Amino acid sequence: MSLEFRAAVLRQPGLAQPYANSHPLHIEEVTVSAPHKGEILVRIAAASLCRSDLSVVTGVRAWPLPIIPGHEASGIVEEVGPGVTSVTPGDHVVLVFQPACGVCPDCVSGQAHLCDPGLQANRSGGLLAGGTRLRQGDVDIHHHMGLSAFAEYAVVSEHSIVPLPRDLPLDVGALFGCAVMCGAGTVLNTGNVRPGDSVTIVGAGGVGSSALLGARLAGAEQIIVVDKEPQRLEFAKKIGATDVVLEGPDPALGPVLDLSHGGTDFAFETAGTVEAFETAYGAVHRGGTVVSVGLVNPETPFSLDVASLVTSAKTVKGSYVGSCNPTVHIPKYVALYQSGKFPVEQLISHHLPLDDINTALDRMANNDAVRQIITP
Ligand SMILES: [Zn+2]
Ligand SMILES: [Zn+2]
């Protein structure tokens, strides 16, 4: 049995803006085979647009083509393949972009975000068990991060989902798959910010705003947010930044050091640029911790003054999936949302249909959105 459905297919990265005219994503009919052993057919309820989807469309990060992007989504289980016991049809799930095989040394030691079989499957544009399940005629269509959620349906590994409570709105549920783990998870897990700590967040997009909500949840006393866009700083203030600093035309670092009396305990780089990393690196005091979560263009050269790293005794860390084990952390974050302590719904700025996805790309490229929820 196979199923035909509509999906947003990318064939040619690097097309010019406005995307509403160049249409890098085409809504087309594709076919999916019935779920194999250990796989699940999910009817997508909500998929949100993340900056790394934009990097697929611009070609900054190369993927096998053609591909259906979309890696932050929720849905309802439609059908399960042989051997699946974790969910049954009708269950609500969030899709997780880093599959965790459960048996590799990293998974077994609790570092599911480092699962190497999961990473290799993602890089191949296939599913964890190998190969693609999507096609058009004889042509294989690749999966983005084992998911491909800008579509009416997705077939995914059962290691790429986490069940959600049925009373959780599915548009909010989608956010837990990337924005919440990569933003708040980075602050709570990778950084391990404690009550009373001071924090600088460089970049106030979706992940930066989620990091801000995470810093509030952690009990950070001072939260300074840096961005180049005044309207994003307005939003940051609305959701709990204690101070905001506009980057440019003057550098943001001076005001950050003034506001924090010499630097914060932590700085989180979420903008995905070397410039933002340098601001974050300068924003922490001696002994402070700098965490980078934004995906910088891999071609960008970078140098670090190692002597200053030694004498300032700073710690520099990278964070992937917010160092989260999705099976463990997503239910905790959902419970915190449901009890009102973690208002992640504030990240949703727009709702739109799948047909308008290229307009959503423009909005993200122009920094006019936080999280846009796309409904098939
Ligand atoms: Zn993402
Ligand atoms: Zn693994």
Side-chain angles (χ1 to χ4, degrees):
M1 267 292 284
S2 62
L3 172 76
E4 279 217 343
F5 61 92
R6 297 168 78 240
V9 182
L10 176 78
R11 298 175 186 288
Q12 193 190 343
L15 295 182
Q17 268 193 272
Y19 299 124
N21 294 344
S22 60
H23 287 101
L25 295 178
H26 263 252
I27 310 300
E28 299 173 6
E29 289 281 325
V30 299
T31 308
V32 71
S33 50
H36 292 189
K37 184 172 174 237
E39 293 173 1
I40 299 167
L41 177 68
V42 178
R43 181 160 57 82
I44 301 295
S48 58
L49 186 66
C50 169
R51 190 155 286 272
S52 39
D53 296 308
L54 192 61
S55 74
V56 179
V57 169
T58 59
V60 163
R61 300 186 75 78
W63 290 90
L65 299 167
I67 193 167
I68 299 170
H71 65 277
E72 181 175 317
S74 64
I76 299 172
V77 175
E78 184 88 3
E79 188 184 335
V80 300
V84 172
T85 54
S86 54
V87 287
T88 53
D91 283 349
H92 292 195
V93 293
V94 56
L95 307 187
V96 172
F97 69 83
Q98 165 70 39
C101 75
V103 293
C104 74
D106 290 310
C107 281
V108 170
S109 64
Q111 308 253 56
H113 61 291
L114 301 179
C115 175
D116 196 57
L119 182 69
Q120 297 312 327
N122 280 359
R123 285 189 175 156
S124 76
L127 296 191
L128 188 62
T132 71
R133 309 289 176 267
L134 299 163
R135 65 189 54 80
Q136 275 179 328
D138 296 339
V139 179
D140 283 346
I141 311 281
H142 295 90
H143 300 256
H144 182 218
M145 314 295 274
L147 305 176
S148 289
F150 295 146
E152 291 175 317
Y153 290 88
V155 161
V156 302
S157 163
E158 73 169 320
H159 300 294
S160 296
I161 55 120
V162 172
L164 291 174
R166 298 240 179 157
D167 59 351
L168 180 75
L170 282 161
D171 58 347
V172 177
L175 304 172
F176 291 89
C178 177
V180 172
M181 286 197 291
C182 294
T186 293
V187 171
L188 298 165
N189 299 325
T190 320
N192 196 18
V193 170
R194 313 300 298 170
D197 285 344
S198 56
V199 167
T200 302
I201 296 167
V202 186
V207 169
S209 301
S210 169
L212 166 49
L213 295 177
R216 275 178 56 195
L217 185 62
E221 188 56 32
Q222 184 175 36
I223 306 171
I224 305 172
V225 176
V226 176
D227 201 278
K228 290 178 174 174
E229 306 275 352
Q231 80 275 13
R232 285 181 159 196
L233 295 177
E234 277 307 307
F235 177 68
K237 269 198 271 187
K238 213 171 89 187
I239 65 169
T242 58
D243 303 279
V244 295
V245 177
L246 186 67
E247 172 82 59
D250 297 321
L253 191 54
V256 170
L257 295 177
D258 286 346
L259 284 163
S260 60
H261 306 292
T264 50
D265 300 316
F266 290 88
F268 296 90
E269 180 285 310
T270 73
T273 65
V274 168
E275 195 187 5
F277 177 80
E278 284 168 345
T279 303
Y281 186 78
V284 296
H285 56 64
R286 295 184 73 218
T289 299
V290 185
V291 184
S292 191
V293 62
L295 284 172
V296 175
N297 183 332
E299 318 247 293
T300 313
F302 172 63
S303 65
L304 179 68
D305 173 0
V306 180
S308 99
L309 178 67
V310 172
T311 56
S312 66
K314 292 181 182 179
T315 299
V316 177
K317 288 174 137 182
S319 176
Y320 192 60
V321 205
S323 313
C324 288
N325 181 338
T327 312
V328 174
H329 291 103
I330 287 180
K332 289 186 183 185
Y333 298 158
V334 167
L336 286 162
Y337 163 76
Q338 290 190 308
S339 68
K341 298 188 186 91
F342 191 29
V344 299
E345 82 289 350
Q346 292 180 319
L347 300 176
I348 299 176
S349 58
H350 299 79
H351 285 84
L352 64 159
L354 183 61
D355 291 290
D356 292 348
I357 192 161
N358 291 298
T359 304
L361 289 173
D362 282 321
R363 226 182 251 135
M364 169 149 279
N366 298 333
N367 295 326
D368 286 338
V370 186
R371 274 301 192 255
Q372 305 177 77
I373 299 286
I374 292 155
T375 345

